[in-house]
Amino acid sequence: MAYDYKAIEQKWQKYWAEHQTFRAKQPQDFEGEPKPPFYVLDMFPYPSGAGLHVGHPLGYIASDIYARFKRHKGFNVLHPQGYDSFGLPAEQYAIQTGQHPAKTTETNIKRYREQLDKIGFSFDWSREVRTSDPKYYKWTQWIFIQLFESWYDADVQKSKAISELISIFENQGNSKIDAVCDEDTPAFSASEWSAFSEEQKEEILLNYRLTYLAETEVNWCPALGTVLANDEIVNGVSERGGHPVTRKKMKQWSMRISAFAERLLSGLDNLDWSESLKETQKNWIGKSVGAQLKFNIKNSKSLIEAFTTRPDTIYGVSFMVLAPEHDLVTQITTPEQKEEVEVYIKAAAKRSERERMADVKTITGAFTGAYAEHPLTKEPLPIWIGDYVLAGYGTGAVMAVPCGDQRDHDFANHFGISIPNVFDGIDISQEAYADKTNATKIANSDFLNGLGVLEAIPKAIEALQKLGQGEKKVNYRLRDAVFSRQRYWGEPFPVYYVNGLPKMIDEKHLPLELPEVEKYLPTEDGAPPLGRANDWAWDTKSNKVVSNDKTDHKTVFPLELNTMPGWAGSSWYLFRYMEEQNNRDQHIASEKALEYWNSVDLYIGGSEHATGHLLYSRFWTKFLNDKGVLPVNEPFKKLINQGMILGESAFVYRWNYNVEGENFKTVFVSKSIIDESIRNEEMLINYSESVANQIYKILDGVQLKSSKTQSSHFSPLHVDVSVVNASNQLDIESLKNIKPKFKDAHFITNELGKFTVGREVEKMSKSKFNVVNPDDVCEEYGADSLRLYEMFLGPLEQAKPWNTAGLSGVHNFLKKLWKLYHDGDQFSVSEEPASKEALKTLHKTIKKVTQDIEDFSFNTSVSTFMICVNELSQQKCNSREILEPLAVLISPYAPHIAEELWERLGHSGSISEVQYPLFDEKYLKEDSKTYPISFNGKMRFTMDLSLDLSKDKLEEIVMADERTQKQLDGRTPKKVIIVPGKIVNIVG
RNA sequence: GCUCGGAUGGUGGAAUUGGUAGACACGUUGGACUUAAAAUCCAAUGACCAUUGCGGUCGUGCGGGUUCAAGUCCCGCUCCGAGUACCA
């Protein structure tokens, strides 16, 4: 019987579903001691309308292999899947078509599920989550409330209940605690606190809450009608769609993730993540250690605070620069400078983020007319404004040290400000000296003279501290994350407003479900889509959502109109999977389940989530750990980024032929002809008789101008990869059928009537017509072939192009594997003991494959299987002793064929939990080795020699060999290097 | 600019502590089977030279170095990719 992958795969997919083969057990399901848990997770997909292409399952296949391997190794494996089902595309589609996003999302999920099922994943679907399910987002809202009810104690680096903070305020005000809060929070005593009105208290508390409402400058994207987070902006335009982004002030919910900066940074050390990913998070958090200095302003009570990492260069300060948006600017600008400053501020505000970034070279700024006072020398320092100083970083002000910072150097040069030098023996006339090497000594700096950087920094801080004008400070680049979106398809905030102040809906009334709206657009007066809902007011009496007409601001209040961002639901979903569906109502997951499953042992997904999802979920995990909700403070122990699978786009080339008169026909020329014609430096018409005839026929009567063929005469156009075969030949008829715009086009083919296309590797996308669909591959070769091929393609973490041609190789391998267990059409294995070589082949394979799985080197294990099957075929081995363990070995990779063979071997039930074969060294023991015999490091021939031989004996035998004598040609070797079991090298 | 990766045949990619470079697969070529095709099987396949046979020279982006021995280690470059970007 031939290998009928279609029947086999269908059969086993059905079996797995019916028997719930991959359902994970909860600890209480075991009689006696539970099996050790192992949690393998994929980044859950956003179910887009385009469906899956072959790039998506790459990571899923890798994690599935690992999950299946761990089951064979005796673990209780949790390998769930779900959907990140809130999001922009469904809403954009709703705006265009009027269809409810819930409906399109449902359709898309169905399609995803079908596609995933065909690949044979061992997912436990009984635990599926969807972020848009009210039963799920009830807990997203619950976490939001917990954040609102918390503040951060920087002293012990822990989040605590807000009630605790209130009692601290009541007893001692806010001066003695080290709580993370907004920069502009005023200081108050206990009695002042008591004297505040309830509303004032609420406003102050908002400065401390871990999620807070604040007027923030946000990244507003007019085209998308929403605010974007920093990580949703790439090169100054929106990640989705590439629309321009501008700065705008809006009242927004924010997350005080900055409070967790230090923990997010130090926690990285214990994670088994790739160095590059950790590096990306480190840079994003951007810790810098330095000092915060206070500069008095002449003739003013105000101070300028500036952060610096180089307090040792304090004597090199010759001016100050404020960000144009800095609050002090209007206060201190002198009447003479007022006009110039205002013009500058206006111009700076107009420059979009993108322009500012693109144009770093142009130096701009304006003098305010005011002077600050140097804290040590008391010299006046002119105060400038310049847009190279960012309002959002540090204090929005810098002490400019032109000798030590290139930007300050450029600015000083441009505006003719002096550049005092504080480095001993360094020439700073051309450029600043920014090195922090301790060997360079500080000069012209009073008490710092002669010190290296490392000694000078603490000394400088000490001196400034004595004056009350500076202290050590750690600064982070990480900004608080804006949490409001002006969108419909997201989690509603469990928030209503009393006198403009936010109140939380009590937990027991959650979820607050998303209301219906008649249109998914913002309202005419610019409110978010929820502003269109008729029933969107909160009745505090009945604790229900009621009609807006009932709003009286006494018992019925308006609800929040924004919704939460995409990362809300994905920040905690991993913990939801830990609990079974029917026990999820009362909590995120039961304590017992959280304790048992702990955290994700292996997480696989794309590196594009480095500074978004992966940072936010670490933040929420730490927070929920502080609260005692979670027993862990990191969500993902080990993380692997799978590389992107790229598409091989196909191009046809339109000939922009040069004519006397009109140009009206669409003519495409085979790539092979173009290339050769260019190489031969001839006219296309002279390429060959066949080509000339075609041209005459198409361009009947047209007079071509003579010129040599050049690539600039052709414009490339994408064509769908499905109409191109593995040899790059285009099926012209099919192309005309699927793309009517080619209907009347002419195609100039080579002598054999073939038309070849050009190829280029690009990102796989619909617009490039290079998408390969996994369904098609499963149809043509089967899921096991798809799985093996995706792994065979190359290292998991590396980007690589998809090349359909290679699929037949792994498919052939499966056929060969099948044949090992069959004699002609008959299933046939022998009960005879296996030969020595067969056992050696098997154990060699066990050893290598086990090692490869542990190293996530799946490409090499596929090769190993190929070698194994090749060898066993050669040996004509069909012994059960070999073939049984082989089926288990390969089952994580090609589960369908493995199940089928296992059944044919006479077993009932799934192969999935059969013990993984154990490696035994004794089968690999060799008594001889094929030694490479090298001369001066170059291998000349090999010799089979016993491994028992001593070094001397080896040398004797090698030297006696006639080939050795021939190589030496009468010379006496200077030296003979012998590494037993490895190599013989003769020098001389 | 900075940080992190990477560069090996026609192609995707192997190569454990430095120890036979190019495993495995694709592609290509030749052969067997077949009326023919497909499928299958066998053989060859880094480049160059030699060829009746034995064989030889070069070769892992470039230039140096360490070593009996370097794809692997060290120094200096080039190019490509990713992330990040006026962060004081």
Side-chain angles (χ1 to χ4, degrees), chain A residues 7-20:
Chain A
I8 294 170
E9 291 179 358
Q10 260 174 31
K11 171 179 162 187
W12 288 100
Q13 283 164 13
K14 198 166 155 236
Y15 177 96
W16 295 330
E18 279 170 3
H19 292 77
Q20 302 215 39

Side-chain angles (χ1 to χ4, degrees), chain A residues 54 57-58 61 645 785-794 802:
Chain A
V54 289
L58 180 73
I61 293 169
I645 289 192
S785 293
L786 172 72
R787 293 169 63 105
L788 282 174
Y789 186 59
E790 294 226 356
M791 292 300 103
F792 189 59
L793 223 41
W802 180 266

